[in-house]
């Protein structure tokens, strides 16, 4: 080996050594064993249900910019296409024609046609720019051949077969007129209706063949403010508009007439609700024929009327009080109206037309339908007559206190006996999809709010009853020696019983094939496993719905909808009491802050069962700026939560006397910081005994140069096992482990690619002292950052080199510790040494997090979510500022990898093999009971859960460990020892003095081994 | 000799006195300081040009004096003017008119009683001078008797000693300011360190004041008694901290390193030989030895199996 240090082998050796543990991939039979993925589509924007009994799919387009087909029997996704998450990818319209789905996306920029059976793209064309107004299929008398796209200033016609443009026509007076309505009925013309608010309507008639404007009419309508909603086309191209203040309808035949006819509705005893924009809902079963002459008029949020306009006569068919949603559906020649009403036991008559005066009063009083018992009926009515179809009621119930139905889609089909059957797709406010069948069976349901997880915590499961019994023994005070002894006996008996039951189950299961064993998990048999690998995931979604999901299988065990959460609120989830304090239930607190009013409220619940806690949270009268979870506990073992409002007053929760006394004692050592990104101000406060605060430091980052984009502290549950790193010369480089350290990232306001920069400030959150500040020049965000132990890793876009880069900062105290016994931010006069290094990363990043383990012994990996949907597990050792440019003897001793400026993506480091996660927004890591294992949840449009072992599974035997072999060898050896002992005995007898007698035996045993 | 003759120096009201009245800053009264009079103890130096050549490292000594500039010569209190598009792009500092002296009054000593807001008093002046090497100098006055007593009082209560500077450097004659950056240290630590502390002023890339840091050294509170004689003069070290450039990927060095290695390998063709080619002279004897020693070992094991204790001879 003395051949010289220049050989490439020693150079590569450390690299190979480091790469060795990375070869841990998933075997084929391990797929889905530790991991699961759930795919979602998001809240529905458009949905189409085929009108035949045998159809198997629903085509949907969603707010998450997804076009997908769902299996209508099971609710599974048949295929799914995910567009960009930005408004650029938004689906503006979806039209169904036979087996094709036509979508318009990117604000009317792209027209696509999908084959709905397999999800293939038929064709795609890009359209001219211009704000999108509407799209419609255009039918000729014999067939549907074209799709018309209406833009602000132009109308274009495209072939359905290949997307080619047939013609494009400029719309006259498009500066002042908003063209919004497109209508055709197979007569060879297209009507376009535009509005000049409070003035008139422009009705244009185009010839389908050459795009020539054959007719242009100006219809005076000074009372009309908007077209969408308040106008619709019924029958033979008759435009119907509602004028709520005048309590009347206005009609105009688009083909012939030039004025609107005014029809007052007073005679029909239709009551318009005040301050409600009345709406008209019409239906056109096929674009090659005229619309139905019947239409719904919505008079108030819960009051609909079915009207008919036929041969110049307006008639009132039926009134629907207390209706939440209405919808039309057509099969063959029959068109039906579906009406979703609240099933009210006390007033069953509300849906059959006979309404008492009190119901009317109710309808007027309440703004929208309030259904106290959350039970709803769907009924079908024949549109021609308004008659209810017999045996068409679907009754379903939603959770008490839950969300209301928001959208209704109906799939109608004719049964063999020519009667009408149907299925209904209902979407509720909490983004739950339910597919219902007569007479009220829920075929499947999907929780689409899980496509927008915003916050996540993992909570340990509770102990089993037996374990809890044993634990409880220690909690109580002794009641005599004998009593304690008996108690111990009884609890041990229970343990024995549980163990035998467990053995029996194992024996019983062992005889069955593996695939049949199903461990049904439900809320009753939830218990912690021996390695604490199974946890409860508490997820908060943007719609305000909370979920409790069991982590090993992904089963939703509980869900809770918070009604008073408005969209766009921000959430903060905190675990106040874990499951470790047995008789007391675990307790989670969710802080919800409204985006507009800035007002906050607390929701306290049990994370295992999802029940709202009995503890009354404080009423927050002022907006909350900051929360602080203190390590001190009240007598019920709930950690104290401090809420700081915008007057810098502190509200503790729980606020018992015990807590207040403790707070008073340690008030002088409670510090917190506030960040005002708008003013670029960071300030620190100290708690005073009377729970008021005083400002103690202030740091100003001038907003004219840079703005704060992220402030990140360390995770409070993080353990760091080693205080330092042993260097090549056997000295120790001590880490600077400041638990109060904050990493502040700023971005420059100047976005010119030469002058843009990213600023990094490391500051102490208690003293406000800036420990380190650096500027990454010619860099811009979005910045992803991980802050842990003594290091910060951040990723940014280098505008000069046009690539993604990582920079790692590590803080060391040096070879001597300032105060090895205790840490205090107030007493750290020496600034730490900051080491830094940068690397090129070949991909952008959508989320980043570091693994975390119970004791912090296992080496750390960075989990990097890539836009491709993969999660890369990158060893932290590759992002180590001490990587030497030229390896030396000492760096080799330390196992440092020689520096190379690029970090490569190896596919075998993907922890989710082919289970891609679309639009990943975050990765959450949690320690398990095993030191080697870290639990990982990635969330975005999909949710993926798995375990990772950064240093391999050093503390568990592998799955394929050969127990039979090892035990047979062991038993064999024991027997062999016994036999040889017997064999050896007579030959050594009579023996020399005792010390010698054992020696030959060792030799023999050694040989057998 | 002005480097930017076309750039007018930032406007400063000429009527105001540019200097900090030393006698007034000593006073501990909380009343607003009179600014009308100008009891400037230092002689004005009227010979200075409005834009002194401060880019050269040798600064005129008078510039560093606390009251250097004559009011009639329009001093340049400019470091707070962020001029990203500097007319002279080669000048790394943001101010087109590098002004060597900007008084930044340190208004410290809150020593507040427990009940009310801190009352700051002037402790000294931080002067920030721009140049190729920006420097920070501090002039401060000794601690008065009353202040010392309050410091002791606050230290006994484990209170805080706070320091602040205005976010924008003050022009001559300006007093106070409205926006400050604040920092603190435990009063007892300052006391027990015999008034030795370290001040650091953090600037951002454009030269704005971002933060002030104060640390007492040593920073522990042991409760030891400190005689009054040790509590007169501050023993302060000041440091100016600007953001350091962050690391960038060292591609050039890496490629150079690779090339060097390759060149070395090309020069030394022996290095490229394979493992066996290089070490065959060691490997063959070892293999031979193993083969030779293997045969009798097998024989010995057989013998051991039959002959009981006979195996003891084989090691």
């Amino acid at each position: 080996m003395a051949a010289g240090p220049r050989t490439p082998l020693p150079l590569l050796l450390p690299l190979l050594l480091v790469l060795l543990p990375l070869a841990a991939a998933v075997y084929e039979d391990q797929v889905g064993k530790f991991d699961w993925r759930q795919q979602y589509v998001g809240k529905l924007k458009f949905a189409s249900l085929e009108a035949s009994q045998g159809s198997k799919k629903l085509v949907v387009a969603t707010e998450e910019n997804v076009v997908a087909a769902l299996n209508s029997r099971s609710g599974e996704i048949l295929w799914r296409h995910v567009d960009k998450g930005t408004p650029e990818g938004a689906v503006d319209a979806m039209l169904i024609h036979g087996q094709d789905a036509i979508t318009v996306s990117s604000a009317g920029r792209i027209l696509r046609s999908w084959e709905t059976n397999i999800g293939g793209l038929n064709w795609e064309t890009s359209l001219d720019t211009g704000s999108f107004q509407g799209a419609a299929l255009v039918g000729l008398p014999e067939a549907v051949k074209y799709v018309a796209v209406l833009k602000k200033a132009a109308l274009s016609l495209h072939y359905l077969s290949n997307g080619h443009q047939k013609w494009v026509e400029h719309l006259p007076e498009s500066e002042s007129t908003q063209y919004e309505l497109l209508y055709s009925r197979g007569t060879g013309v297209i009507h376009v209706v535009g509005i000049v608010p409070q003035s008139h309507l422009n009705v244009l008639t185009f010839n389908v063949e050459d795009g020539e404007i054959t007719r242009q009419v100006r219809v005076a309508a000074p009372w009309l403010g908007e077209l969408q909603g308040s106008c619709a086309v019924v029958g033979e191209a008759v435009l119907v508009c509602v004028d709520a203040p005048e309590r009347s309808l206005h009609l105009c035949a688009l083909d012939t007439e030039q004025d609107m006819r005014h029809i007052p509705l007073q005679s029909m005893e239709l009551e318009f609700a005040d301050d409600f924009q009345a709406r008209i809902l019409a239906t056109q079963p096929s674009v090659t024929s005229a619309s139905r002459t019947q239409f719904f008029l919505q008079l108030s949020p819960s009051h609909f009327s079915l009207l008919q306009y036929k041969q110049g006569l307006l008639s009132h068919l039926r009134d629907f009080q207390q209706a939440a949603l209405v919808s039309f559906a057509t099969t063959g020649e029959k068109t039906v109206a579906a009406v979703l009403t609240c099933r009210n036991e006390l007033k069953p008559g509300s849906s059959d037309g006979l309404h008492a005066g009190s119901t009317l009063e109710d309808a007027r009083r309440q703004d929208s339908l309030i259904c106290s018992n959350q039970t709803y009926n769907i009924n079908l009515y024949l549109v021609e007559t308004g008659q209810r179809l017999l045996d068409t009621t679907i009754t379903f119930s939603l959770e008490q206190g839950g969300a209301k139905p928001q959208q209704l889609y109906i799939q109608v089909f004719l049964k063999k006996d020519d009667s009408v059957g149907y299925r209904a797709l209902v979407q509720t406010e909490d983004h739950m999809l339910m597919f219902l069948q007569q007479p009220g069976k829920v075929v499947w349901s999907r929780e689409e709010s899980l496509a927008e997880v915003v916050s996540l915590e993992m909570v340990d499961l509770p102990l089993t009853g037996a374990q809890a019994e044993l634990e409880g023994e220690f909690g109580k005070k002794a009641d005599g020696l004998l009593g304690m002894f008996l108690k111990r006996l009884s609890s041990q008996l229970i343990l024995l019983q549980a163990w035998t039951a467990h053995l029996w189950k194992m024996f019983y299961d062992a005889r069955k094939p593996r695939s049949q064993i199903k461990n049904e998990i439900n809320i009753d048999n939830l218990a912690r496993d021996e390695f604490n690998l199974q946890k409860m995931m508490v997820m908060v979604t943007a719609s305000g719905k909370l979920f409790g999901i069991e982590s090993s299988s992904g089963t939703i065990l509980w869900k809770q909808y918070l009604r008073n959460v408005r969209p766009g609120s921000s959430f903060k989830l905190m675990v106040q009491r874990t499951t470790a304090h047995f008789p007391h239930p675990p307790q989670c607190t969710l802080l919800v802050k409204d985006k507009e009013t800035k007002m906050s409220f607390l929701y306290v619940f049990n994370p295992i069962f999802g029940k709202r806690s009995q503890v009354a949270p404080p009423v927050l009268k002022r907006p909350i700026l900051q929360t602080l979870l203190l390590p001190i506990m009240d007598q019920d073992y709930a950690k104290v939560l401090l809420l700081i409002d915008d007057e810098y007053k502190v509200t503790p929760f729980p606020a018992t006397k015990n807590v207040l006394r403790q707070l008073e004692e340690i008030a002088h050592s409670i510090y917190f910081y506030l960040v005002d990104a708008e003013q670029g101000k960071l300030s620190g406060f100290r708690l005073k005994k009377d729970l008021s605060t005083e400002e103690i430091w202030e740091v100003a980052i001038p907003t004219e140069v840079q703005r704060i984009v992220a402030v990140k502290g360390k995770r409070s549950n993080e353990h760091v096992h080693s205080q330092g790193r042993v260097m090549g010369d056997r000295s120790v480089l001590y880490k600077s482990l400041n638990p109060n350290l904050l990493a502040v990232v700023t971005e420059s306001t100047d976005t010119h690619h030469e002058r843009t920069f990213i600023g990094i400030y490391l500051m102490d959150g208690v003293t406000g002292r800036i420990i380190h500040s650096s500027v990454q020049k010619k860099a811009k965000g979005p910045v992803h950052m991980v802050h842990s132990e003594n290091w910060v890793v951040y990723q940014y876009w280098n505008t000069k080199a046009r690539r993604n880069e990582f920079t790692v900062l590590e803080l060391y105290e040096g070879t001597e510790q300032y105060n090895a016994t205790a840490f205090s931010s107030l007493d750290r006069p020496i600034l730490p040494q900051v080491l830094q290094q940068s690397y090129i990363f070949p991909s952008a990043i959508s989320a980043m997090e570091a693994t975390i383990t119970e004791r912090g012994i296992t080496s750390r990996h960075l989990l990097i979510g890539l836009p491709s949907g993969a999660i890369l597990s990158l060893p932290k050792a590759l992002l180590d500022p001490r990587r030497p440019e030229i390896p030396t003897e000492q760096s080799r001793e330390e196992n440092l990898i020689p520096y190379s400026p690029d970090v490569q993506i190896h596919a075998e480091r993907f922890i989710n093999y082919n289970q891609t996660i679309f639009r990943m927004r975050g990765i959450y890591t949690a320690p398990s009971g095993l030191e080697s294992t870290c639990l990982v949840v990635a969330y975005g449009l999909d949710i993926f859960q798995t375990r990772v072992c950064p240093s391999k599974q050093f503390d568990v035997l592998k799955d394929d460990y050969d127990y039979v072999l090892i035990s047979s060898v062991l038993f064999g050896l024991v027997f062999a020892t016994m036999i040889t002992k017997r064999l050896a005995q007579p030959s050594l007898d009579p023996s020399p003095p005792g010390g010698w007698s054992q020696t030959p035996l060792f030799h023999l045993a050694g040989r057998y081994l | 000799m002005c480097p930017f003759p076309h750039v007018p120096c930032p406007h400063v009201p000429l009527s105001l006195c540019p200097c900090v009245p030393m006698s007034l800053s000593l006073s501990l009264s909380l009343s607003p300081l009179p600014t009308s009079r100008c009891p400037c103890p230092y002689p004005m130096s009227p010979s200075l040009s409005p834009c002194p050549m401060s880019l050269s490292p040798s600064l005129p000594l008078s510039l560093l004096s606390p009251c250097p500039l004559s009011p009639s010569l329009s001093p340049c209190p400019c470091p707070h003017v962020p001029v990203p598009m500097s007319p002279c792009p080669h000048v790394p500092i943001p101010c087109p008119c590098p002004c060597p002296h900007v008084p930044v009054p340190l208004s410290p000593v809150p020593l507040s009683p427990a009940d009310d807001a801190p009352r700051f008093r002037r402790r000294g002046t931080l002067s920030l001078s721009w140049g190729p090497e920006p420097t920070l100098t501090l002039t401060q006055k000794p601690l008065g008797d009353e202040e010392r007593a309050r410091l002791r009082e606050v230290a006994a209560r484990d209170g805080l000693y706070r320091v602040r500077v205005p976010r924008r450097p003050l022009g001559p004659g300006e007093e106070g300011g409205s926006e400050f950056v604040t920092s603190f240290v435990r009063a007892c630590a300052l006391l027990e360190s015999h008034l030795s502390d370290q001040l650091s002023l953090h600037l951002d890339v454009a030269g704005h004041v971002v933060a002030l840091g104060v640390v007492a050294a040593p920073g522990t509170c042991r409760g030891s008694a400190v005689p009054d004689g040790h509590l007169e003069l501050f023993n302060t070290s000041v440091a100016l901290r600007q953001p350091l450039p962050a690391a960038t990927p060292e591609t050039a060095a890496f490629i150079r390193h690779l090339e060097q290695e390759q060149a070395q390998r090309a020069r030394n063709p022996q290095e490229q030989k394979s493992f066996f080619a290089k070490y065959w002279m060691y490997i063959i004897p070892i293999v031979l030895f193993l083969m030779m020693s293997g045969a009798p070992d097998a024989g010995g094991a057989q013998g051991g199996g039959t002959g009981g204790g006979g195996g003891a001879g084989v090691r």
Side-chain angles (χ1 to χ4, degrees), chain A residues 455-459 537 575 715 717 848-850 852 863 922-927 934-939 944 946:
Chain A
S455 187
L456 166 65
E457 280 290 336
M458 271 188 165
V459 184
M537 292 157 49
V575 183
R715 293 177 65 160
N717 60 346
M848 184 156 73
E849 187 55 273
I852 184 168
L863 301 173
I923 298 174
Y924 177 86
T925 53
C934 167
L935 303 175
V936 178
V937 185
Y939 53 91
F944 177 76
T946 191

Side-chain angles (χ1 to χ4, degrees), chain A residues 393-631:
Chain A
T393 307
I394 288 182
T395 305
F396 66 98
S397 294
L398 296 173
E399 276 171 58
Q400 284 301 323
K404 290 183 290 184
Q406 208 175 32
Q407 281 181 59
L408 173 69
Y409 301 93
I410 299 288
Q411 177 185 29
V412 195
F413 47 84
L414 290 175
K415 290 186 197 161
K416 284 186 185 113
D417 56 351
D418 225 25
S419 63
V420 175
Y422 74 108
R423 301 192 192 102
L425 181 69
V426 176
Q427 177 167 269
T428 52
E429 279 175 326
D430 56 356
H431 308 183
M432 185 174 71
L433 284 181
M434 292 169 85
F435 198 60
L436 303 159
Q437 207 173 24
Q438 286 169 290
K441 188 186 156 209
V442 178
V443 186
W444 49 261
S445 66
R446 292 180 64 88
E447 291 291 352
E448 289 301 337
S449 55
L450 283 172
E452 295 170 277
V453 174
V454 287
S455 187
L456 166 65
E457 280 290 336
M458 271 188 165
V459 184
D460 292 350
L461 290 177
L463 301 165
T464 56
Q467 288 166 322
E469 180 79 17
L470 207 62
E471 289 288 321
E473 202 180 310
F474 299 109
K476 286 167 202 151
K477 287 279 158 271
D479 43 8
L481 197 66
L482 193 69
M484 287 282 279
F485 181 63
L486 286 178
K487 196 150 198 190
R488 163 55 62 91
L489 276 187
S490 77
S491 55
Q492 301 246 323
L493 209 66
I494 292 168
L495 277 182
L496 189 72
Q497 204 180 344
W499 186 64
T500 46
H502 175 72
L503 276 187
W504 173 249
K505 189 169 176 289
M506 257 174 63
F507 175 70
Y508 190 73
D509 284 348
R511 294 186 306 170
K512 286 197 279 185
R514 218 167 214 206
S515 55
Q516 280 186 15
I517 305 169
K518 261 193 279 174
N519 274 330
E520 278 291 313
I521 293 157
N522 60 41
I523 208 141
D524 302 317
N525 64 8
L526 269 186
R528 197 181 298 180
D529 61 329
E530 53 207 323
F531 295 135
N532 202 2
L533 289 165
Q534 195 183 346
K535 296 200 180 195
M536 179 65 91
M537 292 157 49
V538 181
M539 288 193 171
V540 183
T541 62
S543 65
K545 198 168 188 182
L546 309 183
F547 290 90
I549 297 179
E550 196 277 322
S551 75
S552 68
S553 65
T555 324
I556 297 174
L557 293 179
W558 57 264
K559 44 200 172 187
Q560 182 72 46
Y561 178 59
L562 305 180
R563 279 191 111 141
N564 37 3
V565 173
R566 285 203 273 167
S569 302
S570 55
F571 300 88
K572 186 160 185 186
L573 184 63
M574 289 151 288
V575 183
Q576 272 196 297
R577 192 194 295 133
T578 62
T579 32
H581 310 282
F582 164 60
H584 304 285
Q587 182 178 323
C588 269
T589 304
L590 179 72
L591 177 74
V592 185
K593 186 172 181 183
D594 194 283
K595 197 180 177 186
E596 280 156 30
T597 61
K598 306 274 180 209
M599 290 307 282
S600 320
F601 69 91
L602 287 177
Y603 178 75
V604 187
F605 62 100
N606 178 337
I608 304 298
F609 302 109
K611 291 198 190 85
R612 193 187 185 120
S613 170
Q614 302 295 325
V615 187
V619 179
L620 308 172
K621 294 196 183 79
R622 310 238 18 126
I624 297 298
L625 299 180
Q626 175 74 292
T627 59
L628 203 61
L629 200 61
L630 296 181

